[in-house]
Amino acid sequence: MGDSSMAASKYERFVVRKPLRDQCHPGYGLTYMSAAQIPEANLNIRLNWVYDTSQAHGYSSQQVLNDDQLLLHIGMSPDTPQALGGTVEFQLGGQPIVFNTTTSVFIPKGTPFGPLSWKEIRRPHVQLAITFGNSNSRALDQTAAGSGTFDYEQYVIRSPLREAGPPHVDGRQNPTMTYLSRPQINAVNNYIEFGWIWDPPNPDLPKMRHDNYDEIVLHIGSDPENPEALGGALQFGLGEEFLEFDTTHCVYAPRGTDHGPLRWKEVRRPLIELAMMLGAGTLEEGWANSFFDQPDGSRRGPK
């Protein structure tokens, strides 16, 4: 879709259509959110496609961050969404964490993490690193380890909550899969859920507004050979406008901004829709009084 029609939109500055790249590999180091792209967004979202066991993607040594981070590995089969298609070993606080399913690992700020290695890969999958801030990591002594008295397994979500979404939507996984929330990890105040779309969803995702929290919506295509290809086309309501997308993209909806409905024109290949509510730890907290679907035009939620 041409960019000339988008230049006039006052909401285009809240959209990342083209990721920043820091490596030559076509699926490596795709940054879809950072202060350099959207100054208002105090977080960093980096997407990597993982193809073989030689890839480390920045986790080859032990390091620490001054901000919380979520490391999410997503299996890319819509028929078996919780199957990762590989086996990962990750060091958190010096404790080995091994998983072979779609899994999120919460890394509290100041916690040593890494290295990370793949024991096997049966099919390509996505690694999504979300840093809740814009700090840089620093390397640590490789011999540094945890005390052995704390179980870091409590920061690992191996199986999602299934709570978000209306009773039924054609063409869309419903309910979606929640991989970060306060009920799962008591220390967090952000909510992340995502699900697969395989046909144009019916009904559309409705118009909404969140008065207290910023929301981020990320649509991820499923073609490992063309990581920026969405495999579909949609209209995304933002403010009083409709923006159009046909590539993998990220939308930042500041609190108080109307967004939606989402109207899919076509879906040629299954894709992922991920929603992140910043500062809200539960579904009820984040989406309360958000949806413009009452007969009198008032809002309710969650949906």
Side-chain angles (χ1 to χ4, degrees):
M1 297 180 182
D3 292 336
S4 60
S5 63
M6 299 300 164
S9 170
K10 68 179 181 180
Y11 295 99
E12 186 66 21
R13 69 188 187 90
F14 295 125
V15 171
V16 177
R17 298 176 182 272
K18 191 76 175 174
L20 298 177
R21 291 175 176 266
D22 57 10
Q23 296 287 342
C24 296
H25 197 288
Y28 184 97
L30 308 178
T31 298
Y32 275 95
M33 186 66 65
S34 68
Q37 293 157 301
I38 300 179
E40 293 91 342
N42 185 35
L43 79 165
N44 185 284
I45 301 176
R46 175 186 170 108
L47 187 153
N48 299 307
W49 273 93
V50 181
Y51 304 90
D52 59 66
T53 57
S54 67
Q55 295 172 263
H57 297 318
Y59 297 94
S60 58
S61 61
Q62 192 180 64
Q63 52 194 290
V64 69
L65 287 177
N66 293 322
D67 295 299
D68 295 339
Q69 185 178 89
L70 185 77
L71 191 60
L72 175 58
H73 287 83
I74 306 174
M76 296 303 286
S77 171
D79 297 324
T80 55
Q82 288 180 241
L84 183 60
T87 301
V88 179
E89 181 173 314
F90 181 60
Q91 298 283 329
L92 184 60
Q95 178 178 329
I97 305 294
V98 179
F99 54 90
N100 61 7
T101 60
T102 292
T103 295
S104 63
V105 180
F106 177 66
I107 308 169
K109 61 182 179 182
T111 301
F113 63 93
L116 181 150
S117 62
W118 279 267
K119 302 306 180 184
E120 61 165 346
I121 293 179
R122 297 184 299 279
R123 63 174 178 268
H125 56 268
V126 162
Q127 179 193 71
L128 198 64
I130 303 168
T131 304
F132 298 99
N134 286 293
S135 69
N136 295 317
S137 63
R138 65 179 188 272
L140 295 177
D141 186 334
Q142 276 289 93
T143 62
S147 65
T149 61
F150 186 86
D151 185 9
Y152 286 93
E153 183 67 32
Q154 65 185 283
Y155 292 135
V156 182
I157 299 174
R158 301 174 182 273
S159 185
L161 293 176
R162 301 285 190 124
E163 59 178 358
H168 179 76
V169 176
D170 291 335
R172 181 176 184 262
Q173 183 182 352
N174 200 267
T176 56
M177 301 180 293
T178 300
Y179 270 96
L180 186 66
S181 69
R182 195 179 305 123
Q184 293 165 303
I185 300 175
N186 189 51
V188 308
N189 287 303
N190 297 292
Y191 188 96
I192 296 176
E193 53 92 9
F194 64 91
W196 282 91
I197 292 174
W198 51 86
D199 281 316
N202 183 27
D204 298 330
L205 193 67
K207 179 181 176 182
M208 66 190 80
R209 182 174 72 237
H210 316 301
D211 295 327
N212 300 315
Y213 305 105
D214 303 332
E215 183 179 8
I216 288 174
V217 179
L218 177 63
H219 288 109
I220 306 172
S222 65
D223 185 352
E225 301 304 319
N226 298 283
E228 292 186 47
L230 184 60
L234 79 153
Q235 291 183 326
F236 193 122
L238 193 59
E240 65 275 11
E241 303 175 11
F242 275 96
L243 305 181
E244 297 194 356
F245 298 93
D246 61 3
T247 59
T248 292
H249 60 273
C250 194
V251 177
Y252 174 70
R255 66 192 68 186
T257 302
D258 292 357
H259 54 289
L262 274 62
R263 298 171 179 166
W264 288 89
K265 293 182 174 181
E266 62 173 338
V267 176
R268 301 182 303 275
R269 181 185 178 110
L271 55 96
I272 286 175
E273 182 173 81
L274 182 148
M276 184 187 323
M277 194 69 75
L278 302 176
T282 68
L283 178 68
E284 289 285 346
E285 187 177 316
W287 277 266
N289 301 317
S290 290
F291 293 91
F292 291 88
D293 61 356
Q294 297 290 64
D296 62 358
S298 62
R299 291 178 287 159
R300 72 170 179 86
K303 217 176 155 56

